[in-house]
C-alpha cells in the first residue's frame, strides 16, 4: 500500500475524519474525535501508527519486520507498520480496521450503538 491507498481506505470507514493536529506533515484519522491512525506524509520509508491490543501488538512485532513499537505513541498500545516491508496490503488493511474498531469499542455505549461493534 501507499499513503494515498491508506487515506482512501480510512475515509471509507464510517464517520472517519482526517485532520492535521500535529502539523502539516502528519495526517491523523479519527472516529468520534478519537485517533485510530497517524502517518507522516514526508517519510522516505512510509509507515502508519495504529492502535493495537497489547498482546496482538507483541505478536505482530515478532512476526513482521514491518511492525515496530510506535515511535511517538504508547508502545504498549500502538504499532508502526511500514508499508513497503513484509506485511501485505490485506493485512495492513486488517490492522487499520482493528485500530478503528478498538477505538469504537472504548466509546460510551450510546455512541457505540451507531456502529456494528456494540
Amino acid at each position: 500500500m501507499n499513503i494515498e491507498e491508506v487515506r482512501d481506505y480510512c475515509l471509507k470507514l464510517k464517520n472517519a475524519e482526517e485532520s492535521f493536529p500535529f502539523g502539516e506533515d502528519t495526517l491523523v484519522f479519527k472516529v468520534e474525535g478519537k485517533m485510530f491512525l497517524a502517518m507522516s506524509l514526508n517519510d522516505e520509508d512510509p509507515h502508519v501508527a495504529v492502535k493495537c491490543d497489547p498482546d496482538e501488538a507483541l505478536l505482530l512485532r515478532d512476526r513482521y519486520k514491518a511492525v515496530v513499537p510506535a515511535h511517538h505513541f504508547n508502545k504498549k498500545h500502538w504499532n508502526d507498520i511500514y508499508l513497503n516491508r513484509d506485511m501485505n496490503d490485506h493485512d495492513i488493511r486488517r490492522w487499520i480496521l482493528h485500530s478503528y474498531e478498538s477505538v469504537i469499542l472504548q466509546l460510551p455505549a450510546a455512541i457505540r450503538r451507531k456502529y456494528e461493534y456494540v
Side-chain angles (χ1 to χ4, degrees):
M1 289 185 88
N2 61 44
I3 58 174
E4 286 298 324
E5 291 169 323
V6 169
R7 180 180 180 267
D8 291 343
Y9 179 73
C10 289
L11 290 174
K12 289 178 183 175
L13 299 172
K14 183 176 181 175
N15 293 330
E17 298 178 338
E18 60 183 340
S19 64
F20 291 89
F22 304 122
E24 63 186 34
D25 294 337
T26 304
L27 180 57
V28 169
F29 291 90
K30 297 179 180 182
V31 60
E32 300 295 334
K34 304 290 185 184
M35 183 172 60
F36 68 89
L37 184 140
M39 67 178 166
S40 173
L41 300 178
N42 295 323
D43 282 346
E44 290 181 22
D45 196 2
H47 61 279
V48 297
V50 293
K51 194 166 190 172
C52 194
D53 170 81
D55 294 330
E56 293 284 341
L58 294 173
L59 292 173
L60 288 171
R61 292 172 198 168
D62 287 341
R63 180 173 178 195
Y64 296 101
K65 292 178 185 171
V67 181
V68 297
H71 184 66
H72 294 292
F73 298 98
N74 180 322
K75 289 159 183 32
K76 180 177 179 182
H77 296 280
W78 287 83
N79 276 336
D80 280 340
I81 300 175
Y82 285 83
L83 303 178
N84 297 324
R85 295 190 185 171
D86 62 335
M87 184 180 279
N88 64 51
D89 291 357
H90 172 79
D91 286 339
I92 292 170
R93 282 189 290 276
R94 178 176 166 228
W95 292 106
I96 292 170
L97 182 60
H98 172 84
S99 181
Y100 171 84
E101 290 172 344
S102 295
V103 169
I104 290 170
L105 288 172
Q106 293 176 341
L107 296 170
I111 296 173
R112 278 197 321 265
R113 287 187 191 104
K114 295 191 300 189
Y115 301 88
E116 300 170 19
Y117 318 102
V118 179

